Amino acid sequence: MIICANPKAQYLSYKEEIDSSIDKVLNGSQYILGEEVELFEESFANYIGVNSAIGVANGTDAIEISLKAMGIGNGDKVISVSHSAVATIAGIESTGASAIVVDLEPDFFTLDNELLESAYTNDVKAVVAVHIYGQSSDIYKIKEFCKSKGIYLIEDVAQAHGALNNNKRLGSIGDVGTFSCYPTKNLGAIGDGGIITTDDENLHKKMKMLREYGWTERVSQIKGRNSRLDELQASILNVKLRYLDRDNQKRKNIADIYDQLSFDDFITPAKRSDCDHVYHLYVCKTSKRDELMNYLNERDIFPGIHYPVPIHLQPAYKDNIAIGSDMHVTESIANNIISLPMYPELSLDDAEKVYNAIKNFFK
Ligand SMILES: Cc1ncc(COP(=O)(O)O)c(C=O)c1O
Protein backbone atom coordinates (compact mmCIF):
# COMPACT_ATOMS: atom_id res chain seq x y z
CA MET A 1 0.00 0.00 0.00
CA ILE A 2 1.37 3.45 -0.92
CA ILE A 3 -0.01 6.20 1.29
CA CYS A 4 0.03 9.98 1.00
CA ALA A 5 2.15 10.77 4.09
CA ASN A 6 3.85 8.54 6.63
CA PRO A 7 5.20 10.13 9.84
CA LYS A 8 5.79 6.70 11.41
CA ALA A 9 8.31 5.91 8.65
CA GLN A 10 10.15 9.07 9.59
CA TYR A 11 10.23 8.08 13.26
CA LEU A 12 11.73 4.73 12.22
CA SER A 13 14.40 6.54 10.13
CA TYR A 14 15.70 8.37 13.18
CA LYS A 15 14.48 5.94 15.86
CA GLU A 16 17.76 5.55 17.72
CA GLU A 17 18.42 9.26 18.00
CA ILE A 18 14.79 10.10 18.79
CA ASP A 19 14.52 7.38 21.44
CA SER A 20 17.68 8.53 23.11
CA SER A 21 16.62 12.19 23.09
CA ILE A 22 13.23 11.25 24.55
CA ASP A 23 14.96 9.18 27.20
CA LYS A 24 17.13 12.16 28.10
CA VAL A 25 14.05 14.34 28.60
CA LEU A 26 12.21 11.67 30.61
CA ASN A 27 15.17 11.29 32.92
CA GLY A 28 15.86 15.01 33.10
CA SER A 29 14.30 17.41 35.56
CA GLN A 30 12.38 19.80 33.32
CA TYR A 31 9.49 18.79 31.07
CA ILE A 32 8.32 22.25 30.03
CA LEU A 33 10.39 25.14 28.58
CA GLY A 34 13.78 23.68 29.37
CA GLU A 35 17.00 23.26 27.44
CA GLU A 36 15.49 21.30 24.50
CA VAL A 37 13.04 24.11 23.69
CA GLU A 38 15.81 26.68 24.07
CA LEU A 39 18.11 24.72 21.78
CA PHE A 40 15.36 24.23 19.21
CA GLU A 41 14.48 27.94 19.23
CA GLU A 42 18.10 28.93 18.76
CA SER A 43 18.87 26.33 16.07
CA PHE A 44 15.68 27.03 14.14
CA ALA A 45 16.26 30.81 14.21
CA ASN A 46 19.78 30.19 12.84
CA TYR A 47 18.47 27.81 10.20
CA ILE A 48 15.81 30.28 8.98
CA GLY A 49 18.21 33.23 9.23
CA VAL A 50 16.38 35.40 11.78
CA ASN A 51 17.25 36.84 15.17
CA SER A 52 14.85 34.73 17.21
CA ALA A 53 12.27 31.96 17.30
CA ILE A 54 9.61 31.04 19.86
CA GLY A 55 8.28 27.52 20.29
CA VAL A 56 4.50 27.27 20.67
CA ALA A 57 1.93 24.49 20.90
CA ASN A 58 0.93 24.36 17.21
CA GLY A 59 0.82 26.31 13.96
CA THR A 60 -2.66 27.72 14.53
CA ASP A 61 -1.57 29.26 17.84
CA ALA A 62 1.52 30.60 16.09
CA ILE A 63 -0.74 32.71 13.83
CA GLU A 64 -2.98 33.82 16.71
CA ILE A 65 -0.06 34.77 18.97
CA SER A 66 1.74 36.67 16.19
CA LEU A 67 -1.35 38.74 15.41
CA LYS A 68 -2.04 39.43 19.08
CA ALA A 69 1.56 40.57 19.59
CA MET A 70 0.96 43.04 16.75
CA GLY A 71 -2.02 44.40 18.70
CA ILE A 72 -4.51 42.95 16.22
CA GLY A 73 -7.90 41.80 17.53
CA ASN A 74 -11.56 42.84 17.78
CA GLY A 75 -12.70 45.12 14.98
CA ASP A 76 -9.56 44.56 12.89
CA LYS A 77 -9.37 42.77 9.57
CA VAL A 78 -6.71 40.48 8.15
CA ILE A 79 -6.42 39.49 4.49
CA SER A 80 -5.57 35.90 3.56
CA VAL A 81 -6.65 33.06 1.28
CA SER A 82 -9.40 30.48 1.32
CA HIS A 83 -7.27 27.75 -0.25
CA SER A 84 -5.35 26.63 2.84
CA ALA A 85 -5.72 24.52 5.94
CA VAL A 86 -8.70 25.93 7.85
CA ALA A 87 -6.13 26.65 10.58
CA THR A 88 -4.99 29.79 8.75
CA ILE A 89 -8.41 31.41 9.13
CA ALA A 90 -9.01 29.86 12.58
CA GLY A 91 -5.75 31.44 13.78
CA ILE A 92 -6.84 34.86 12.50
CA GLU A 93 -10.37 34.70 13.87
CA SER A 94 -9.34 33.44 17.31
CA THR A 95 -7.80 36.89 17.93
CA GLY A 96 -11.25 38.48 17.53
CA ALA A 97 -10.22 39.97 14.16
CA SER A 98 -12.08 38.91 11.04
CA ALA A 99 -10.60 37.47 7.88
CA ILE A 100 -11.06 38.74 4.33
CA VAL A 101 -10.19 36.11 1.74
CA VAL A 102 -8.98 36.82 -1.79
CA ASP A 103 -8.44 34.60 -4.80
CA LEU A 104 -5.27 32.90 -6.05
CA GLU A 105 -2.86 33.30 -8.92
CA PRO A 106 -4.10 30.59 -11.30
CA ASP A 107 -0.59 29.34 -12.10
CA PHE A 108 0.80 29.06 -8.58
CA PHE A 109 -2.32 28.57 -6.36
CA THR A 110 -0.98 31.26 -3.99
CA LEU A 111 -2.45 34.65 -2.99
CA ASP A 112 -2.90 36.95 -5.98
CA ASN A 113 -1.23 40.16 -4.85
CA GLU A 114 -3.07 42.14 -7.54
CA LEU A 115 -6.27 41.62 -5.56
CA LEU A 116 -4.97 43.10 -2.33
CA GLU A 117 -5.66 46.75 -3.19
CA SER A 118 -9.37 46.25 -3.86
CA ALA A 119 -9.81 44.10 -0.73
CA TYR A 120 -8.06 46.69 1.45
CA THR A 121 -9.92 48.99 3.86
CA ASN A 122 -8.63 51.08 6.77
CA ASP A 123 -9.51 48.26 9.18
CA VAL A 124 -7.04 45.87 7.53
CA LYS A 125 -4.04 45.51 9.80
CA ALA A 126 -2.16 42.52 8.31
CA VAL A 127 -1.86 40.01 5.50
CA VAL A 128 -1.27 36.31 6.19
CA ALA A 129 0.46 34.91 3.08
CA VAL A 130 0.38 31.11 2.86
CA HIS A 131 3.29 29.33 1.15
CA ILE A 132 1.10 26.47 -0.01
CA TYR A 133 2.44 22.94 -0.75
CA GLY A 134 6.09 23.89 -0.06
CA GLN A 135 6.53 26.76 -2.50
CA SER A 136 6.81 30.50 -1.87
CA SER A 137 3.89 32.82 -2.47
CA ASP A 138 4.69 36.05 -4.34
CA ILE A 139 6.02 37.26 -1.02
CA TYR A 140 8.13 40.25 -2.09
CA LYS A 141 5.19 41.80 -3.97
CA ILE A 142 2.94 41.16 -0.98
CA LYS A 143 5.57 42.69 1.28
CA GLU A 144 5.68 45.79 -0.92
CA PHE A 145 1.91 46.14 -0.59
CA CYS A 146 2.03 45.74 3.20
CA LYS A 147 4.80 48.31 3.45
CA SER A 148 2.85 50.80 1.32
CA LYS A 149 -0.13 50.50 3.69
CA GLY A 150 1.90 50.33 6.91
CA ILE A 151 0.43 46.93 7.83
CA TYR A 152 2.03 43.72 9.06
CA LEU A 153 2.97 40.69 6.98
CA ILE A 154 2.79 37.20 8.42
CA GLU A 155 4.20 34.30 6.42
CA ASP A 156 2.29 31.07 7.08
CA VAL A 157 5.16 28.65 6.51
CA ALA A 158 3.40 25.56 7.93
CA GLN A 159 3.97 23.73 4.63
CA ALA A 160 7.38 25.07 3.61
CA HIS A 161 10.08 24.52 6.24
CA GLY A 162 13.40 25.13 4.52
CA ALA A 163 12.06 26.54 1.23
CA LEU A 164 13.83 29.54 -0.30
CA ASN A 165 12.90 32.66 -2.21
CA ASN A 166 15.92 34.49 -3.69
CA ASN A 167 18.19 32.59 -1.34
CA LYS A 168 16.24 33.66 1.74
CA ARG A 169 14.43 31.06 3.80
CA LEU A 170 10.68 31.51 3.94
CA GLY A 171 9.81 32.79 7.41
CA SER A 172 12.57 35.45 7.26
CA ILE A 173 10.90 37.81 4.77
CA GLY A 174 7.73 39.05 6.52
CA ASP A 175 7.47 40.55 10.02
CA VAL A 176 7.01 37.03 11.35
CA GLY A 177 6.96 33.48 10.02
CA THR A 178 4.62 30.92 11.59
CA PHE A 179 5.34 27.21 11.34
CA SER A 180 3.37 24.10 12.26
CA CYS A 181 5.29 21.01 13.34
CA TYR A 182 2.30 18.67 12.97
CA PRO A 183 3.68 15.13 12.37
CA THR A 184 3.28 15.11 8.57
CA LYS A 185 4.96 18.48 8.02
CA ASN A 186 8.45 18.74 6.49
CA LEU A 187 9.69 19.31 10.04
CA GLY A 188 7.21 17.33 12.12
CA ALA A 189 7.01 16.46 15.80
CA ILE A 190 5.40 13.26 17.13
CA GLY A 191 2.45 15.23 18.38
CA ASP A 192 1.60 18.90 18.03
CA GLY A 193 4.14 21.68 17.88
CA GLY A 194 4.74 25.07 16.29
CA ILE A 195 7.32 27.82 16.08
CA ILE A 196 7.36 31.53 15.21
CA THR A 197 10.35 33.32 13.65
CA THR A 198 11.08 37.05 13.69
CA ASP A 199 13.77 39.72 13.53
CA ASP A 200 11.62 42.14 15.53
CA GLU A 201 12.76 42.27 19.12
CA ASN A 202 9.56 43.85 20.44
CA LEU A 203 7.34 41.29 18.76
CA HIS A 204 9.61 38.56 20.04
CA LYS A 205 9.28 39.75 23.64
CA LYS A 206 5.51 40.07 23.39
CA MET A 207 5.03 36.68 21.71
CA LYS A 208 7.12 35.02 24.39
CA MET A 209 4.90 36.55 27.05
CA LEU A 210 1.69 35.69 25.21
CA ARG A 211 2.56 31.99 24.94
CA GLU A 212 2.70 31.78 28.74
CA TYR A 213 -0.07 33.76 30.43
CA GLY A 214 1.46 37.14 29.55
CA TRP A 215 4.14 36.49 32.16
CA THR A 216 7.41 38.06 32.91
CA GLU A 217 8.88 36.38 35.98
CA ARG A 218 5.61 34.58 36.64
CA VAL A 219 3.53 37.77 36.85
CA SER A 220 1.02 38.50 34.07
CA GLN A 221 1.86 41.87 32.56
CA ILE A 222 -0.59 41.36 29.71
CA LYS A 223 -3.40 38.86 29.16
CA GLY A 224 -1.90 35.74 27.63
CA ARG A 225 -2.61 32.04 27.40
CA ASN A 226 -0.86 28.71 27.54
CA SER A 227 0.64 27.67 24.22
CA ARG A 228 3.99 26.14 25.14
CA LEU A 229 6.03 23.74 23.06
CA ASP A 230 6.98 20.88 25.37
CA GLU A 231 10.43 19.45 25.95
CA LEU A 232 9.63 16.03 24.46
CA GLN A 233 8.46 17.49 21.14
CA ALA A 234 11.37 19.96 21.09
CA SER A 235 13.85 17.12 21.64
CA ILE A 236 12.39 15.24 18.65
CA LEU A 237 12.45 18.39 16.53
CA ASN A 238 16.11 18.95 17.48
CA VAL A 239 16.94 15.55 15.98
CA LYS A 240 14.86 16.08 12.84
CA LEU A 241 16.08 19.63 12.17
CA ARG A 242 19.56 18.20 11.59
CA TYR A 243 18.14 16.19 8.67
CA LEU A 244 15.64 18.68 7.28
CA ASP A 245 17.65 19.64 4.18
CA ARG A 246 18.39 15.99 3.43
CA ASP A 247 14.73 15.05 3.85
CA ASN A 248 13.65 17.97 1.65
CA GLN A 249 16.09 16.74 -1.01
CA LYS A 250 14.42 13.29 -0.87
CA ARG A 251 11.07 14.98 -1.47
CA LYS A 252 12.56 16.80 -4.48
CA ASN A 253 13.88 13.51 -5.90
CA ILE A 254 10.35 12.08 -5.75
CA ALA A 255 8.97 15.26 -7.35
CA ASP A 256 11.48 14.83 -10.20
CA ILE A 257 9.80 11.50 -11.02
CA TYR A 258 6.27 12.92 -10.84
CA ASP A 259 7.38 15.94 -12.91
CA GLN A 260 7.82 13.65 -15.91
CA LEU A 261 4.05 13.11 -16.07
CA SER A 262 2.96 15.34 -18.90
CA PHE A 263 -0.67 15.28 -20.03
CA ASP A 264 -2.98 18.09 -21.09
CA ASP A 265 -5.43 17.21 -18.34
CA PHE A 266 -2.85 16.88 -15.55
CA ILE A 267 -1.45 20.19 -14.42
CA THR A 268 0.83 20.96 -11.50
CA PRO A 269 1.24 24.47 -10.06
CA ALA A 270 4.01 26.32 -11.91
CA LYS A 271 7.41 26.64 -10.27
CA ARG A 272 8.35 30.14 -9.27
CA SER A 273 11.72 31.31 -10.59
CA ASP A 274 14.48 31.94 -8.03
CA CYS A 275 12.62 29.82 -5.51
CA ASP A 276 13.30 26.42 -4.03
CA HIS A 277 10.18 24.23 -3.63
CA VAL A 278 10.32 21.71 -0.75
CA TYR A 279 7.29 19.65 -1.79
CA HIS A 280 5.34 19.31 1.41
CA LEU A 281 2.71 18.12 -1.04
CA TYR A 282 2.87 17.22 -4.72
CA VAL A 283 -0.43 18.45 -6.07
CA CYS A 284 -1.89 18.25 -9.54
CA LYS A 285 -5.11 19.29 -11.12
CA THR A 286 -7.21 17.13 -13.44
CA SER A 287 -10.83 17.19 -14.54
CA LYS A 288 -10.80 13.39 -13.97
CA ARG A 289 -9.79 13.68 -10.31
CA ASP A 290 -12.39 11.29 -8.89
CA GLU A 291 -11.80 8.66 -11.59
CA LEU A 292 -8.04 8.94 -11.10
CA MET A 293 -8.46 8.62 -7.34
CA ASN A 294 -10.52 5.43 -7.75
CA TYR A 295 -8.09 4.03 -10.30
CA LEU A 296 -5.16 4.59 -7.93
CA ASN A 297 -7.04 3.25 -4.90
CA GLU A 298 -7.77 0.04 -6.82
CA ARG A 299 -4.00 -0.29 -7.27
CA ASP A 300 -3.33 0.23 -3.55
CA ILE A 301 -2.20 3.84 -3.98
CA PHE A 302 -3.89 6.35 -1.67
CA PRO A 303 -3.42 10.04 -2.56
CA GLY A 304 -5.01 12.87 -0.56
CA ILE A 305 -6.90 16.07 -1.36
CA HIS A 306 -5.60 19.41 -0.05
CA TYR A 307 -8.17 20.90 0.19
CA PRO A 308 -11.56 19.61 -0.94
CA VAL A 309 -13.67 22.58 0.22
CA PRO A 310 -12.47 26.21 0.17
CA ILE A 311 -12.69 27.71 3.65
CA HIS A 312 -15.25 30.35 2.61
CA LEU A 313 -17.63 27.55 1.53
CA GLN A 314 -17.31 25.48 4.72
CA PRO A 315 -20.36 25.59 7.05
CA ALA A 316 -18.55 27.43 9.87
CA TYR A 317 -17.52 30.30 7.56
CA LYS A 318 -19.83 30.42 4.57
CA ASP A 319 -22.28 32.95 6.00
CA ASN A 320 -19.85 35.14 7.84
CA ILE A 321 -16.46 35.42 6.17
CA ALA A 322 -15.70 38.49 4.05
CA ILE A 323 -14.89 37.75 0.42
CA GLY A 324 -12.44 40.29 -0.97
CA SER A 325 -12.54 39.29 -4.63
CA ASP A 326 -14.11 37.00 -7.14
CA MET A 327 -13.08 33.47 -5.99
CA HIS A 328 -13.25 31.52 -9.24
CA VAL A 329 -9.68 30.15 -9.15
CA THR A 330 -10.05 28.95 -5.55
CA GLU A 331 -13.43 27.40 -6.27
CA SER A 332 -12.39 25.77 -9.51
CA ILE A 333 -9.37 23.95 -8.12
CA ALA A 334 -11.06 22.38 -5.09
CA ASN A 335 -12.90 19.82 -7.23
CA ASN A 336 -9.91 18.96 -9.38
CA ILE A 337 -6.86 18.62 -7.18
CA ILE A 338 -5.15 15.50 -5.93
CA SER A 339 -2.04 15.18 -3.70
CA LEU A 340 0.24 12.33 -4.75
CA PRO A 341 2.09 10.25 -2.13
CA MET A 342 5.00 12.38 -0.86
CA TYR A 343 7.24 11.89 2.15
CA PRO A 344 11.02 11.49 2.47
CA GLU A 345 10.90 7.75 3.17
CA LEU A 346 8.75 6.96 0.11
CA SER A 347 11.07 4.84 -2.01
CA LEU A 348 11.84 5.92 -5.56
CA ASP A 349 10.49 2.50 -6.63
CA ASP A 350 7.15 3.33 -5.06
CA ALA A 351 7.22 6.79 -6.64
CA GLU A 352 7.80 5.02 -10.00
CA LYS A 353 4.76 2.82 -9.31
CA VAL A 354 2.64 5.93 -8.77
CA TYR A 355 4.11 7.47 -11.93
CA ASN A 356 3.38 4.35 -14.01
CA ALA A 357 -0.16 4.01 -12.69
CA ILE A 358 -0.94 7.64 -13.59
CA LYS A 359 0.68 7.22 -17.00
CA ASN A 360 -1.49 4.16 -17.67
CA PHE A 361 -4.59 5.98 -16.52
CA PHE A 362 -4.08 8.82 -19.01
CA LYS A 363 -2.89 6.81 -22.00
C1 LIG B 1 -1.04 26.21 5.79
C2 LIG B 1 -1.23 25.81 7.23
N1 LIG B 1 -1.38 26.76 8.16
C3 LIG B 1 -1.53 26.46 9.46
C4 LIG B 1 -1.56 25.15 9.90
C5 LIG B 1 -1.84 24.89 11.33
O1 LIG B 1 -0.99 24.08 11.98
P1 LIG B 1 -1.42 23.17 13.23
O2 LIG B 1 -2.15 22.00 12.72
O3 LIG B 1 -0.09 22.85 13.83
O4 LIG B 1 -2.23 24.03 14.15
C6 LIG B 1 -1.39 24.11 8.96
C7 LIG B 1 -1.39 22.70 9.36
O5 LIG B 1 -2.30 21.97 9.21
C8 LIG B 1 -1.23 24.45 7.59
O6 LIG B 1 -1.08 23.50 6.65
Side-chain angles (χ1 to χ4, degrees), residues 71-97:
I72 295 171
N74 285 334
D76 295 327
K77 299 207 162 82
V78 176
I79 301 178
S80 193
V81 290
S82 188
H83 180 63
S84 182
V86 75
T88 303
I89 301 302
I92 294 170
E93 300 221 324
S94 55
T95 65

Side-chain angles (χ1 to χ4, degrees), residues 229-296:
L229 176 67
D230 69 68
E231 283 286 284
L232 278 174
Q233 298 307 334
S235 76
I236 294 162
L237 291 165
N238 279 325
V239 172
K240 291 201 189 177
L241 180 57
R242 296 200 281 276
Y243 301 107
L244 177 57
D245 286 341
R246 191 176 81 178
D247 284 338
N248 281 344
Q249 184 55 50
K250 291 183 179 170
R251 291 175 181 269
K252 291 177 207 171
N253 296 343
I254 295 162
D256 283 345
I257 294 175
Y258 294 158
D259 275 348
Q260 291 164 39
L261 290 161
S262 169
F263 304 101
D264 290 345
D265 189 15
F266 186 85
I267 295 160
T268 54
K271 281 185 209 148
R272 222 178 264 288
S273 60
D274 299 322
C275 291
D276 180 44
H277 193 322
V278 293
Y279 293 100
H280 172 57
L281 296 167
Y282 191 100
V283 170
C284 32
K285 191 171 87 167
T286 169
S287 66
K288 300 200 176 67
R289 192 266 306 277
D290 295 342
E291 296 96 307
L292 176 61
M293 187 69 104
N294 288 336
Y295 183 87
L296 294 174

Side-chain angles (χ1 to χ4, degrees), residues 101-147:
V101 289
V102 295
D103 211 4
L104 310 174
E105 300 167 286
D107 292 348
F108 300 105
F109 298 7
T110 46
L111 190 153
D112 185 344
N113 73 287
E114 307 256 321
L115 302 172
L116 287 170
E117 187 66 55
S118 56
Y120 178 79
T121 62
N122 283 338
D123 301 332
V124 171
K125 297 293 185 295
V127 173
V128 177
V130 181
H131 302 302
I132 201 86
Y133 304 151
Q135 174 165 241
S136 182
S137 58
D138 197 0
I139 194 70
Y140 288 104
K141 286 267 174 60
I142 299 170
K143 185 173 174 167
E144 225 173 87
F145 172 83
C146 290
K147 217 168 153 199

Side-chain angles (χ1 to χ4, degrees), residues 58-60 63 84-85 87-88 130 156 158-159 180 182 185 193 307:
N58 56 65
T60 313
I63 295 170
S84 182
T88 303
V130 181
D156 181 344
Q159 302 194 0
S180 162
Y182 182 81
K185 301 300 192 208
Y307 296 89

Side-chain angles (χ1 to χ4, degrees), residues 165-223:
N165 187 323
N166 277 283
N167 290 321
K168 273 183 78 80
R169 297 258 187 233
L170 302 185
S172 69
I173 299 163
D175 295 289
V176 304
T178 62
F179 297 76
S180 162
C181 297
Y182 182 81
T184 57
K185 301 300 192 208
N186 291 42
L187 180 63
I190 304 185
D192 277 312
I195 190 153
I196 309 169
T197 50
T198 189
D199 277 328
D200 185 319
E201 205 177 316
N202 284 330
L203 286 179
H204 167 79
K205 269 194 204 142
K206 216 155 167 209
M207 293 189 289
K208 217 165 165 180
M209 289 165 78
L210 286 166
R211 79 157 168 203
E212 200 178 30
Y213 319 120
W215 276 356
T216 53
E217 291 168 16
R218 301 180 85 82
V219 175
S220 295
Q221 309 293 345
I222 53 176
K223 288 181 182 168

